[in-house]
Structures are given as structure tokens and as C-alpha cells.
Amino acid sequence: MSVQPLVVIVMAMEAEAAPLRAALGAAPAEPPVWASSLPARVAIADHAGVDVVLVTNGTDPRTGVDCIGSTAAALATQVALDHARSGLARQPDLVLTVGTAGGWNRAGASIGDVYLAWDRFVCHDRRIDLPGFDAFGRADLPAADLRAHAEALGCRLGIVTTGDSLDESPEDAARIVASGAEVKEMEAAAVAWIGSLHDVPVGAVKAITDLVDSPVTTAEQFSANLATAADALQRTTLALLARLGEEIGADV
Ligand code: ADE
């Protein structure tokens, strides 16, 4: 009996995830018992020959907003991997961190562009000036090689840099220039860290909602472009899953 590939998708905001969840026809699934008091929401789907576990960071009960950022992303990733392993008795073939991001005019990005991560995930706001801890703070975790898919899907490639703020402080800016990153968001390096602990490759699909070096504020651009970016995320992720089904399915 052939086994379909299993891909875990981790998303932070409900507005980013809703179009993809609907297009996948994903059904809600129970989180593991140990995670029952966490906000993470799990859903499962079968799309184009790929089994999908879609986890969202969920809603913060205190403030009522989506739990964006690295802490909730790490927890959600652990919840999804545990659901795959304990609930489905499967080791995922790939984890994808899917969401919106900032880009830069200076790197040639436009609103609505979709990037796949290559070749790594870094952090720009974990500055720890102590031997050894400085490297831990930078993260520098490898991205799964999705370059052929990027070419076929018309996606750009770039290093993804993660921090827990929407704005860019001067210290963040200097670190981002030094790392060569082209995609700024708030979850990917945390997802990649959990993936690395479990030996599962991690890739990223990130749609650009705002240009960090634009005179218009990030918040204004983000609000204006969120729906367009969520639609681009949904279309690109479905197409990527279909290609992964062919690629990984052929190897299984
Ligand atoms: N998500 C969307 N745009 C972002 C930005 N500029 N920084 C961090 N996360 C983002």
C-alpha cells in the first residue's frame, strides 16, 4: 500500500489561514491532550495526493487577537508535529511556515510577490553578545530546497529573517543588511528551530504585504494588502502541495 506524503503547514493569523483552510476543505482535529489549553488550532486535509496537517497559532484568550510571533509559532509547530506522530503515527516529510511578510524595494520586491525561503532562516532581534549565544541568537537554520518549485510557480527566493516586532529598529536594520535577508516576518525561524529538533525539513511560503523601505507605514500597507496576500498564499500553497505530491510521492 502506498503512503501519501505528509506536509505540516503552520500559519499565524486567521485572516491568512482562512482562504487556504477553505480551499483545502480541511476538517478540525483534536490537538494532543497536553496541548488542550494552548490556543493552537489543528485541521487535517487531503489535497492532490498529499496529507496535510494545518495548524494555526490560534487566538490569545486575554487580548482576543491572533497569537502572532515566535513563541506561539514554536508551540503550534510542536502541536502539529505531535499530532502527526502520535495521532497519525507519521513523521512529516516537510513543514511549511506560510504567511505574510515585509519585503524591500531595494531587493526588487513588489506587494503581492510570493517568496520561498532560500537558503536559510535567521533572526534579527535576538542580539546576545556572549560567546556561543550570539550564534544561537542569529538562528541561521537551513531552509528546505524548494528552488525548482519556486521557478515553476513564479516565486522569488530569499533569506527569511524573523523578529517579534512589526517595525524595524535601527539595530534590526543593520542586522538584516548584514544577513542579506529579503523577507521580514515573525515566525519562520521559530518553526525552523522546532523542525530541526525533530529532523523534519522546513520551507517557507511568504507573500509580501508591505515594503519596509516605503514612505508609507508598515501598518497601513499591511492592512491594505492583507486580503490580496492571503489569496496569493492560498493559490501558491495549493500549487506547491500538488507539486510536492508528485515529487515526494514518487520517492516514497
Ligand atoms: N508581516 C507582514 N509584514 C511584516 C513586517 N514588515 N515585519 C514583520 N512581520 C510582517
Side-chain angles (χ1 to χ4, degrees), residues 77-114:
T77 308
Q78 179 64 39
V79 168
L81 291 177
D82 196 66
H83 181 80
R85 285 177 161 176
S86 307
L88 308 177
R90 302 274 307 277
Q91 166 82 344
D93 296 282
L94 180 69
V95 173
L96 289 174
T97 158
V98 175
T100 56
W104 281 270
N105 281 308
R106 66 166 186 250
S110 304
I111 302 295
D113 282 354
V114 181

Side-chain angles (χ1 to χ4, degrees), residues 5 21 29 57 79 90 108 121 149 175 191 202 220 233 235 239:
R21 193 189 290 112
N57 290 3
V79 168
R90 302 274 307 277
F121 300 102
H149 300 299
R175 299 248 315 196
V191 176
V202 176
E220 205 177 317
L233 281 178
R235 282 185 281 106

Side-chain angles (χ1 to χ4, degrees), residues 13-17 19 66 99-100 111 207-210 220-233:
M13 291 185 77
E14 187 52 30
E16 295 166 337
D66 297 321
T100 56
I111 302 295
I208 301 300
T209 47
D210 53 275
E220 205 177 317
Q221 295 180 72
F222 179 80
S223 303
N225 299 316
L226 176 58
T228 313
D231 186 55
L233 281 178

Side-chain angles (χ1 to χ4, degrees), residues 17-38:
L20 180 62
R21 193 189 290 112
L24 285 169
E30 280 300 309
V33 173
W34 64 264
S36 56
S37 45
L38 300 181

Side-chain angles (χ1 to χ4, degrees), residues 100-102 165-166 184-186 209-210 212 218 222:
T100 56
S165 298
L166 187 65
K184 176 176 177 286
E185 52 77 85
M186 300 176 67
T209 47
D210 53 275
V212 181
T218 297
F222 179 80

